[in-house]
Amino acid sequence: RRRHKTVYFGMVFCICVQNNAEFKDLPPVFKYRYVFGGNQVKDQNYEAAMFQDLGSSPATVAASKAADFIGCLPTNALQQADAEQAYVQAPLKGPETWVTLPKEHWPLEWHALGLERPVVRLKLALYGHPDSGTFWEEHCDHHCRQAGFHPVTDWPSTYFHPEWRILLVIYVDDFKMAGPKAKVKEAWRRIRADDPSAGIVMSDPEPATRFLDCDHQVKETVINGKTVKLMTYSNQEFMSQCVDAYCERAGIKR
């Protein structure tokens, strides 16, 4: 007889949204993603599942601005990159979890077999799972440490490379890196990979212009006869969109 063990059962849903719906002059772009129904999970006794509820700790605004300061120093660079489908790069840990899939996304052979409600093992930290954020952070932490980065005390999801003098800030799937230009490129190379088992799959790094939904703009100005870099932050575009949305629903003019 098999020993008693905790097993979870849940459902996977497909959510489709229209990106940039607030911009009337842009063509509609629809995106969809699979999510785990974390509010409808049962255990082997058909009772409500009890998750670890470890919680996640994304980086703070203070850490982000510290990276901005470092990036504005002479000979330094400030870049960012986005992890692709972040959570599902991390393996799902904890109790064994089985899920049902939307019927329209079944493999053809399932229909041919006449199956009614098949279940499959959930192996990756899918969006919607209460502990996916924690498993994703563990995945990031592992690869950052392998690349030589050390966690910064009292600043969650923030790392420093003592040899290269580089600060790395991670907010869920947004990565911001600041440090000497000559070393930043190699640091990205150490962290990134095409396979989640070898590193973090992410987009190509680019200058940091938007982080935490805030626009960043770097300019040069002269203070006391010296040319220095000046960074400004703005949420003007986002707030303007909020006003437009409110006026449209309220039926009033801007």
Side-chain angles (χ1 to χ4, degrees):
R1 296 178 60 183
R2 296 183 63 185
R3 295 180 59 189
H4 171 79
K5 67 176 181 178
T6 301
V7 180
Y8 289 167
F9 299 92
M11 300 178 65
V12 170
F13 300 90
C14 183
I15 296 180
C16 183
V17 298
Q18 180 180 345
N19 268 20
N20 302 321
E22 65 274 17
F23 297 110
K24 304 302 181 183
D25 55 335
L26 294 179
V29 177
F30 294 93
K31 290 187 176 182
Y32 72 92
R33 68 168 43 169
Y34 292 104
V35 297
F36 179 73
N39 61 332
Q40 303 180 31
V41 189
K42 305 294 183 180
D43 63 12
Q44 70 280 358
N45 299 318
Y46 209 72
E47 297 178 349
M50 302 297 292
F51 294 97
Q52 299 179 58
D53 196 21
L54 300 175
S56 56
S57 302
T60 64
V61 174
S64 174
K65 292 194 173 184
D68 295 338
F69 170 76
I70 294 174
C72 285
L73 294 175
T75 72
N76 280 4
L78 178 65
Q79 298 179 347
Q80 68 182 56
D82 298 331
E84 299 177 359
Q85 299 181 332
Y87 284 9
V88 293
Q89 293 189 36
L92 183 68
K93 303 177 183 179
E96 190 174 292
T97 302
W98 294 77
V99 296
T100 59
L101 303 180
K103 196 168 185 177
E104 60 270 21
H105 295 285
W106 285 11
L108 294 178
E109 55 267 27
W110 286 11
H111 295 280
L113 290 172
L115 302 178
E116 294 185 7
R117 198 183 181 193
V119 294
V120 294
R121 176 81 179 271
L122 187 63
K123 295 184 177 182
L124 301 178
L126 191 64
Y127 292 94
H129 190 288
D131 292 326
S132 285
T134 300
F135 300 143
W136 163 246
E137 286 189 2
E138 291 178 357
H139 179 77
C140 289
D141 180 78
H142 170 71
H143 289 297
C144 287
R145 290 174 184 264
Q146 276 197 331
F149 284 90
H150 298 179
V152 177
T153 304
D154 297 331
W155 272 7
S157 298
T158 305
Y159 298 84
F160 186 71
H161 199 295
E163 179 184 352
W164 296 340
R165 314 300 293 172
I166 292 177
L167 185 69
L168 174 63
V169 179
I170 306 174
Y171 189 87
V172 189
D173 58 351
D174 293 331
F175 290 68
K176 179 188 282 189
M177 187 181 293
K181 295 178 181 178
K183 299 296 183 181
V184 166
K185 183 177 181 179
E186 176 63 16
W188 284 120
R189 190 190 69 81
R190 292 280 187 93
I191 294 176
R192 299 174 65 207
D194 295 329
D195 183 348
S197 63
I200 301 171
V201 182
M202 63 177 71
S203 61
D204 292 332
E206 57 185 18
T209 57
R210 187 177 183 85
F211 195 75
L212 300 181
D213 285 332
C214 182
D215 293 324
H216 294 42
Q217 187 174 14
V218 179
K219 300 179 180 179
E220 287 190 350
T221 186
V222 178
I223 298 179
N224 296 331
K226 294 183 178 181
T227 300
V228 297
K229 289 183 179 179
L230 174 70
M231 174 168 286
T232 60
Y233 304 91
S234 173
N235 272 347
Q236 181 175 348
E237 182 181 358
F238 172 73
M239 293 305 300
S240 180
Q241 295 169 14
C242 292
V243 173
D244 287 338
Y246 175 82
C247 292
E248 180 181 354
R249 287 161 176 75
I252 60 178
K253 293 183 179 180
R254 184 183 174 105

